[in-house]
Amino acid sequence: QEQLVESGGGLVQAGGSLRLSCTASERLYKNNALGWFRQVPGRERECVALFSFIGDTIYYDDSVKGRFTISGDNAKNTVYLSMSSVKAEDTATYYCGASWLWSVYVRDYDHWGQGTQVTVSS
C-alpha cells in the first residue's frame, strides 16, 4: 500500500523517446510530492522532475527542461516521465520517490521504488 513501482526503462538511441511510469498507492499519490530521480554509479541521486496532486504542481531540473515531461494520471495514481530527445548523459537508473515536502532533496524522500534502468546509445 505504500509501495512505488517504476517501469518503462530500457535501451533507446540518442534522440529517441521513452516513457517511464511510477504507480503509487492512492495515499502516496495524493498526499506527497512524487519525484523522478536518477542516479549513475559514483554519483549522488539527483532530482529530475516533480509532480504533486496537491496544487497540480510540476518542476523540472534545468538539464531536462524542454525534453522531459512529467504528468500524473489521478485515476491510476500514476506519474509518468515522458523522455524525448534523449542524450547519452540521460543514461541512469531512474527512481520514483515520495516526499511529504515539495522538495528536490533526496534526504526528504522516505519512499522509493526499485528503480528502472534507462540506457541511451550514442
Side-chain angles (χ1 to χ4, degrees):
Q1 61 175 335
E2 303 297 329
Q3 200 163 318
L4 300 166
V5 180
E6 304 103 329
S7 63
L11 178 65
V12 59
Q13 291 190 46
S17 300
L18 203 64
R19 189 178 77 163
L20 308 182
S21 299
C22 172
T23 299
S25 68
E26 181 176 2
R27 178 176 296 179
L28 288 180
Y29 182 84
K30 294 185 176 179
N31 293 280
N32 290 269
L34 279 298
W36 280 104
F37 291 71
R38 64 187 179 188
Q39 187 170 27
V40 299
R43 290 188 181 182
E44 63 183 0
R45 193 170 297 184
E46 64 178 11
C47 184
V48 174
L50 301 178
F51 169 85
S52 178
F53 170 79
I54 303 173
D56 193 22
T57 311
I58 60 173
Y59 160 86
Y60 297 103
D61 184 78
D62 287 342
S63 65
V64 304
K65 284 182 179 177
R67 300 189 300 117
F68 293 6
T69 300
I70 189 169
S71 61
D73 186 326
N74 299 337
K76 297 180 179 180
N77 299 319
T78 298
V79 177
Y80 302 98
L81 186 68
S82 296
M83 309 165 63
S84 62
S85 301
V86 296
K87 306 174 181 179
E89 53 262 43
D90 294 322
T91 295
T93 302
Y94 284 72
Y95 297 89
C96 180
S99 172
W100 71 280
L101 294 172
W102 181 256
S103 175
V104 302
Y105 300 111
V106 170
R107 71 176 77 97
D108 292 323
Y109 286 74
D110 295 323
H111 299 85
W112 295 98
Q114 82 286 355
T116 185
Q117 177 67 32
V118 173
T119 302
V120 180
S121 61
S122 58

PDB file of all heavy atoms in Angstrom, residues 28-47:
ATOM      1  N   LEU A  28      -0.046   7.712  -1.127  1.00  0.00           N
ATOM      2  CA  LEU A  28       1.192   8.366  -1.513  1.00  0.00           C
ATOM      3  C   LEU A  28       0.961   9.360  -2.641  1.00  0.00           C
ATOM      4  O   LEU A  28       1.500  10.465  -2.631  1.00  0.00           O
ATOM      5  CB  LEU A  28       2.243   7.331  -1.933  1.00  0.00           C
ATOM      6  CG  LEU A  28       2.862   6.481  -0.833  1.00  0.00           C
ATOM      7  CD1 LEU A  28       3.883   5.519  -1.431  1.00  0.00           C
ATOM      8  CD2 LEU A  28       3.514   7.344   0.234  1.00  0.00           C
ATOM      9  N   TYR A  29       0.174   8.964  -3.610  1.00  0.00           N
ATOM     10  CA  TYR A  29      -0.039   9.805  -4.776  1.00  0.00           C
ATOM     11  C   TYR A  29      -0.704  11.133  -4.411  1.00  0.00           C
ATOM     12  O   TYR A  29      -0.323  12.186  -4.926  1.00  0.00           O
ATOM     13  CB  TYR A  29      -0.886   9.061  -5.804  1.00  0.00           C
ATOM     14  CG  TYR A  29      -1.119   9.832  -7.080  1.00  0.00           C
ATOM     15  CD1 TYR A  29      -0.179   9.815  -8.108  1.00  0.00           C
ATOM     16  CD2 TYR A  29      -2.277  10.586  -7.245  1.00  0.00           C
ATOM     17  CE1 TYR A  29      -0.399  10.523  -9.278  1.00  0.00           C
ATOM     18  CE2 TYR A  29      -2.499  11.298  -8.408  1.00  0.00           C
ATOM     19  CZ  TYR A  29      -1.561  11.259  -9.422  1.00  0.00           C
ATOM     20  OH  TYR A  29      -1.777  11.963 -10.581  1.00  0.00           O
ATOM     21  N   LYS A  30      -1.677  11.077  -3.530  1.00  0.00           N
ATOM     22  CA  LYS A  30      -2.480  12.263  -3.248  1.00  0.00           C
ATOM     23  C   LYS A  30      -2.019  13.063  -2.039  1.00  0.00           C
ATOM     24  O   LYS A  30      -2.571  14.133  -1.778  1.00  0.00           O
ATOM     25  CB  LYS A  30      -3.949  11.866  -3.096  1.00  0.00           C
ATOM     26  CG  LYS A  30      -4.541  11.339  -4.396  1.00  0.00           C
ATOM     27  CD  LYS A  30      -6.027  11.067  -4.292  1.00  0.00           C
ATOM     28  CE  LYS A  30      -6.591  10.629  -5.629  1.00  0.00           C
ATOM     29  NZ  LYS A  30      -8.041  10.321  -5.552  1.00  0.00           N
ATOM     30  N   ASN A  31      -1.033  12.593  -1.327  1.00  0.00           N
ATOM     31  CA  ASN A  31      -0.575  13.297  -0.134  1.00  0.00           C
ATOM     32  C   ASN A  31       0.921  13.582  -0.133  1.00  0.00           C
ATOM     33  O   ASN A  31       1.458  14.006   0.889  1.00  0.00           O
ATOM     34  CB  ASN A  31      -0.939  12.507   1.119  1.00  0.00           C
ATOM     35  CG  ASN A  31      -2.430  12.442   1.354  1.00  0.00           C
ATOM     36  OD1 ASN A  31      -3.032  13.386   1.862  1.00  0.00           O
ATOM     37  ND2 ASN A  31      -3.042  11.325   0.976  1.00  0.00           N
ATOM     38  N   ASN A  32       1.568  13.375  -1.245  1.00  0.00           N
ATOM     39  CA  ASN A  32       3.011  13.555  -1.316  1.00  0.00           C
ATOM     40  C   ASN A  32       3.420  14.198  -2.625  1.00  0.00           C
ATOM     41  O   ASN A  32       2.669  14.182  -3.601  1.00  0.00           O
ATOM     42  CB  ASN A  32       3.734  12.212  -1.210  1.00  0.00           C
ATOM     43  CG  ASN A  32       3.659  11.598   0.157  1.00  0.00           C
ATOM     44  OD1 ASN A  32       4.531  11.825   0.992  1.00  0.00           O
ATOM     45  ND2 ASN A  32       2.623  10.811   0.391  1.00  0.00           N
ATOM     46  N   ALA A  33       4.611  14.764  -2.619  1.00  0.00           N
ATOM     47  CA  ALA A  33       5.260  15.093  -3.874  1.00  0.00           C
ATOM     48  C   ALA A  33       5.830  13.808  -4.446  1.00  0.00           C
ATOM     49  O   ALA A  33       6.419  13.006  -3.726  1.00  0.00           O
ATOM     50  CB  ALA A  33       6.372  16.115  -3.649  1.00  0.00           C
ATOM     51  N   LEU A  34       5.626  13.595  -5.713  1.00  0.00           N
ATOM     52  CA  LEU A  34       6.181  12.446  -6.412  1.00  0.00           C
ATOM     53  C   LEU A  34       7.296  12.938  -7.316  1.00  0.00           C
ATOM     54  O   LEU A  34       7.066  13.802  -8.165  1.00  0.00           O
ATOM     55  CB  LEU A  34       5.117  11.719  -7.225  1.00  0.00           C
ATOM     56  CG  LEU A  34       4.181  10.727  -6.512  1.00  0.00           C
ATOM     57  CD1 LEU A  34       5.005   9.586  -5.919  1.00  0.00           C
ATOM     58  CD2 LEU A  34       3.359  11.408  -5.436  1.00  0.00           C
ATOM     59  N   GLY A  35       8.467  12.403  -7.113  1.00  0.00           N
ATOM     60  CA  GLY A  35       9.620  12.862  -7.859  1.00  0.00           C
ATOM     61  C   GLY A  35      10.275  11.767  -8.672  1.00  0.00           C
ATOM     62  O   GLY A  35      10.307  10.604  -8.262  1.00  0.00           O
ATOM     63  N   TRP A  36      10.769  12.155  -9.830  1.00  0.00           N
ATOM     64  CA  TRP A  36      11.634  11.285 -10.606  1.00  0.00           C
ATOM     65  C   TRP A  36      13.072  11.723 -10.352  1.00  0.00           C
ATOM     66  O   TRP A  36      13.422  12.896 -10.545  1.00  0.00           O
ATOM     67  CB  TRP A  36      11.322  11.352 -12.095  1.00  0.00           C
ATOM     68  CG  TRP A  36      10.135  10.540 -12.504  1.00  0.00           C
ATOM     69  CD1 TRP A  36       8.895  10.982 -12.815  1.00  0.00           C
ATOM     70  CD2 TRP A  36      10.112   9.120 -12.654  1.00  0.00           C
ATOM     71  NE1 TRP A  36       8.080   9.934 -13.150  1.00  0.00           N
ATOM     72  CE2 TRP A  36       8.809   8.770 -13.057  1.00  0.00           C
ATOM     73  CE3 TRP A  36      11.059   8.102 -12.491  1.00  0.00           C
ATOM     74  CZ2 TRP A  36       8.417   7.463 -13.296  1.00  0.00           C
ATOM     75  CZ3 TRP A  36      10.673   6.798 -12.719  1.00  0.00           C
ATOM     76  CH2 TRP A  36       9.369   6.484 -13.120  1.00  0.00           C
ATOM     77  N   PHE A  37      13.876  10.780  -9.919  1.00  0.00           N
ATOM     78  CA  PHE A  37      15.288  10.998  -9.666  1.00  0.00           C
ATOM     79  C   PHE A  37      16.087  10.036 -10.527  1.00  0.00           C
ATOM     80  O   PHE A  37      15.580   9.002 -10.958  1.00  0.00           O
ATOM     81  CB  PHE A  37      15.625  10.763  -8.192  1.00  0.00           C
ATOM     82  CG  PHE A  37      15.070  11.789  -7.239  1.00  0.00           C
ATOM     83  CD1 PHE A  37      13.713  11.859  -6.975  1.00  0.00           C
ATOM     84  CD2 PHE A  37      15.919  12.683  -6.599  1.00  0.00           C
ATOM     85  CE1 PHE A  37      13.197  12.794  -6.100  1.00  0.00           C
ATOM     86  CE2 PHE A  37      15.421  13.626  -5.713  1.00  0.00           C
ATOM     87  CZ  PHE A  37      14.066  13.688  -5.463  1.00  0.00           C
ATOM     88  N   ARG A  38      17.334  10.364 -10.740  1.00  0.00           N
ATOM     89  CA  ARG A  38      18.199   9.446 -11.474  1.00  0.00           C
ATOM     90  C   ARG A  38      19.563   9.380 -10.814  1.00  0.00           C
ATOM     91  O   ARG A  38      20.013  10.324 -10.168  1.00  0.00           O
ATOM     92  CB  ARG A  38      18.319   9.837 -12.945  1.00  0.00           C
ATOM     93  CG  ARG A  38      18.972  11.182 -13.217  1.00  0.00           C
ATOM     94  CD  ARG A  38      18.868  11.496 -14.702  1.00  0.00           C
ATOM     95  NE  ARG A  38      19.447  12.792 -15.032  1.00  0.00           N
ATOM     96  CZ  ARG A  38      19.345  13.371 -16.216  1.00  0.00           C
ATOM     97  NH1 ARG A  38      18.669  12.768 -17.195  1.00  0.00           N
ATOM     98  NH2 ARG A  38      19.913  14.553 -16.430  1.00  0.00           N
ATOM     99  N   GLN A  39      20.204   8.248 -11.014  1.00  0.00           N
ATOM    100  CA  GLN A  39      21.491   8.019 -10.384  1.00  0.00           C
ATOM    101  C   GLN A  39      22.367   7.163 -11.279  1.00  0.00           C
ATOM    102  O   GLN A  39      21.911   6.200 -11.880  1.00  0.00           O
ATOM    103  CB  GLN A  39      21.300   7.335  -9.030  1.00  0.00           C
ATOM    104  CG  GLN A  39      22.571   7.189  -8.212  1.00  0.00           C
ATOM    105  CD  GLN A  39      22.279   6.738  -6.797  1.00  0.00           C
ATOM    106  OE1 GLN A  39      21.279   6.076  -6.542  1.00  0.00           O
ATOM    107  NE2 GLN A  39      23.147   7.110  -5.867  1.00  0.00           N
ATOM    108  N   VAL A  40      23.624   7.547 -11.353  1.00  0.00           N
ATOM    109  CA  VAL A  40      24.625   6.760 -12.060  1.00  0.00           C
ATOM    110  C   VAL A  40      25.690   6.357 -11.059  1.00  0.00           C
ATOM    111  O   VAL A  40      25.866   7.014 -10.022  1.00  0.00           O
ATOM    112  CB  VAL A  40      25.249   7.536 -13.235  1.00  0.00           C
ATOM    113  CG1 VAL A  40      24.190   7.911 -14.255  1.00  0.00           C
ATOM    114  CG2 VAL A  40      25.961   8.788 -12.734  1.00  0.00           C
ATOM    115  N   PRO A  41      26.420   5.278 -11.323  1.00  0.00           N
ATOM    116  CA  PRO A  41      27.451   4.841 -10.382  1.00  0.00           C
ATOM    117  C   PRO A  41      28.448   5.944 -10.070  1.00  0.00           C
ATOM    118  O   PRO A  41      28.923   6.637 -10.971  1.00  0.00           O
ATOM    119  CB  PRO A  41      28.124   3.680 -11.123  1.00  0.00           C
ATOM    120  CG  PRO A  41      27.045   3.140 -12.002  1.00  0.00           C
ATOM    121  CD  PRO A  41      26.286   4.351 -12.456  1.00  0.00           C
ATOM    122  N   GLY A  42      28.736   6.114  -8.795  1.00  0.00           N
ATOM    123  CA  GLY A  42      29.693   7.111  -8.373  1.00  0.00           C
ATOM    124  C   GLY A  42      29.129   8.502  -8.188  1.00  0.00           C
ATOM    125  O   GLY A  42      29.858   9.409  -7.777  1.00  0.00           O
ATOM    126  N   ARG A  43      27.849   8.679  -8.487  1.00  0.00           N
ATOM    127  CA  ARG A  43      27.218   9.977  -8.323  1.00  0.00           C
ATOM    128  C   ARG A  43      26.064   9.894  -7.339  1.00  0.00           C
ATOM    129  O   ARG A  43      25.508   8.824  -7.111  1.00  0.00           O
ATOM    130  CB  ARG A  43      26.683  10.506  -9.646  1.00  0.00           C
ATOM    131  CG  ARG A  43      27.726  10.930 -10.656  1.00  0.00           C
ATOM    132  CD  ARG A  43      27.029  11.608 -11.816  1.00  0.00           C
ATOM    133  NE  ARG A  43      27.927  12.037 -12.861  1.00  0.00           N
ATOM    134  CZ  ARG A  43      27.538  12.693 -13.952  1.00  0.00           C
ATOM    135  NH1 ARG A  43      26.254  12.987 -14.123  1.00  0.00           N
ATOM    136  NH2 ARG A  43      28.430  13.038 -14.859  1.00  0.00           N
ATOM    137  N   GLU A  44      25.726  11.032  -6.799  1.00  0.00           N
ATOM    138  CA  GLU A  44      24.572  11.094  -5.918  1.00  0.00           C
ATOM    139  C   GLU A  44      23.298  11.099  -6.744  1.00  0.00           C
ATOM    140  O   GLU A  44      23.287  11.498  -7.907  1.00  0.00           O
ATOM    141  CB  GLU A  44      24.638  12.340  -5.029  1.00  0.00           C
ATOM    142  CG  GLU A  44      24.587  13.647  -5.802  1.00  0.00           C
ATOM    143  CD  GLU A  44      24.733  14.859  -4.904  1.00  0.00           C
ATOM    144  OE1 GLU A  44      24.882  14.678  -3.684  1.00  0.00           O
ATOM    145  OE2 GLU A  44      24.696  15.988  -5.426  1.00  0.00           O
ATOM    146  N   ARG A  45      22.235  10.643  -6.132  1.00  0.00           N
ATOM    147  CA  ARG A  45      20.943  10.663  -6.777  1.00  0.00           C
ATOM    148  C   ARG A  45      20.486  12.108  -6.956  1.00  0.00           C
ATOM    149  O   ARG A  45      20.579  12.914  -6.032  1.00  0.00           O
ATOM    150  CB  ARG A  45      19.940   9.873  -5.940  1.00  0.00           C
ATOM    151  CG  ARG A  45      18.644   9.550  -6.637  1.00  0.00           C
ATOM    152  CD  ARG A  45      17.821   8.550  -5.820  1.00  0.00           C
ATOM    153  NE  ARG A  45      18.512   7.270  -5.687  1.00  0.00           N
ATOM    154  CZ  ARG A  45      17.978   6.212  -5.097  1.00  0.00           C
ATOM    155  NH1 ARG A  45      16.751   6.268  -4.594  1.00  0.00           N
ATOM    156  NH2 ARG A  45      18.676   5.085  -5.006  1.00  0.00           N
ATOM    157  N   GLU A  46      19.992  12.440  -8.135  1.00  0.00           N
ATOM    158  CA  GLU A  46      19.597  13.805  -8.421  1.00  0.00           C
ATOM    159  C   GLU A  46      18.155  13.874  -8.891  1.00  0.00           C
ATOM    160  O   GLU A  46      17.650  12.962  -9.539  1.00  0.00           O
ATOM    161  CB  GLU A  46      20.512  14.433  -9.472  1.00  0.00           C
ATOM    162  CG  GLU A  46      20.444  13.770 -10.827  1.00  0.00           C
ATOM    163  CD  GLU A  46      21.329  14.438 -11.863  1.00  0.00           C
ATOM    164  OE1 GLU A  46      22.154  15.285 -11.476  1.00  0.00           O
ATOM    165  OE2 GLU A  46      21.193  14.124 -13.062  1.00  0.00           O
ATOM    166  N   CYS A  47      17.530  14.989  -8.566  1.00  0.00           N
ATOM    167  CA  CYS A  47      16.137  15.193  -8.924  1.00  0.00           C
ATOM    168  C   CYS A  47      16.019  15.593 -10.391  1.00  0.00           C
ATOM    169  O   CYS A  47      16.742  16.467 -10.868  1.00  0.00           O
ATOM    170  CB  CYS A  47      15.517  16.269  -8.036  1.00  0.00           C
ATOM    171  SG  CYS A  47      13.754  16.533  -8.316  1.00  0.00           S
TER     172      CYS A  47
END
